[in-house]
Amino acid sequence: VKPTAITIGCVVEALVINRRGEEAWQLVQEQLRCEDRKLMINTVVYSTVLKGFAVSKRVDKVLSVYKEMRANSIACNTITYNTMLDACAKCDAMEKAAQLLEDMKELNV
């Protein structure tokens, strides 16, 4: 069975729910290296990974994933930004939220 964006998203979500965010991120990275699957890694999949790192209070990883999203022209939505801002707040890293807010303004999110 060939994976689809939905099946990949479901597996990533299952890993995140089970607090295996790093494994979810590794799975995404594997898919990005596969030419016929990399387009399946969309905003929803990235946002799920962000949620996993946010729950684990890994604001460094949250911002690293965000940087990769921007570099790969993956659009962020209000859910994506809310997840990242929440991670900054819970990790006492509000100084990092300023750039996110600027990006939101710039992109009219």
Side-chain angles (χ1 to χ4, degrees):
V1 177
K2 287 182 79 173
T4 66
I6 293 170
T7 57
I8 292 169
C10 288
V11 173
V12 169
E13 176 75 16
L15 288 166
V16 165
I17 287 170
N18 286 287
R19 296 193 175 269
R20 295 167 66 183
E22 196 63 51
E23 289 176 65
W25 183 232
Q26 288 171 4
L27 175 64
V28 168
Q29 293 299 304
E30 288 171 19
Q31 303 314 302
L32 288 169
R33 287 190 292 273
C34 186
E35 278 301 313
D36 63 330
R37 293 188 199 146
K38 70 180 182 181
L39 293 177
M40 295 179 196
I41 306 303
N42 56 29
T43 301
V44 174
V45 174
Y46 270 106
S47 294
T48 303
V49 170
L50 288 170
K51 180 174 72 173
F53 287 133
V55 167
S56 300
K57 296 187 176 183
R58 301 273 318 272
V59 73
D60 58 322
K61 292 296 282 188
V62 167
L63 297 174
S64 175
V65 171
Y66 172 63
K67 185 176 179 181
E68 181 172 315
M69 288 178 74
R70 294 285 306 245
N72 291 327
S73 300
I74 302 294
C76 293
N77 57 30
T78 54
I79 295 168
T80 309
Y81 281 109
N82 186 57
T83 299
M84 293 186 293
L85 291 169
D86 189 56
C88 289
K90 288 181 177 174
C91 295
D92 197 27
M94 289 309 293
E95 73 283 354
K96 296 179 180 184
Q99 183 60 54
L100 295 173
L101 294 170
E102 286 299 316
D103 292 349
M104 289 176 74
K105 283 184 201 175
E106 178 186 315
L107 299 168
N108 293 318
V109 176

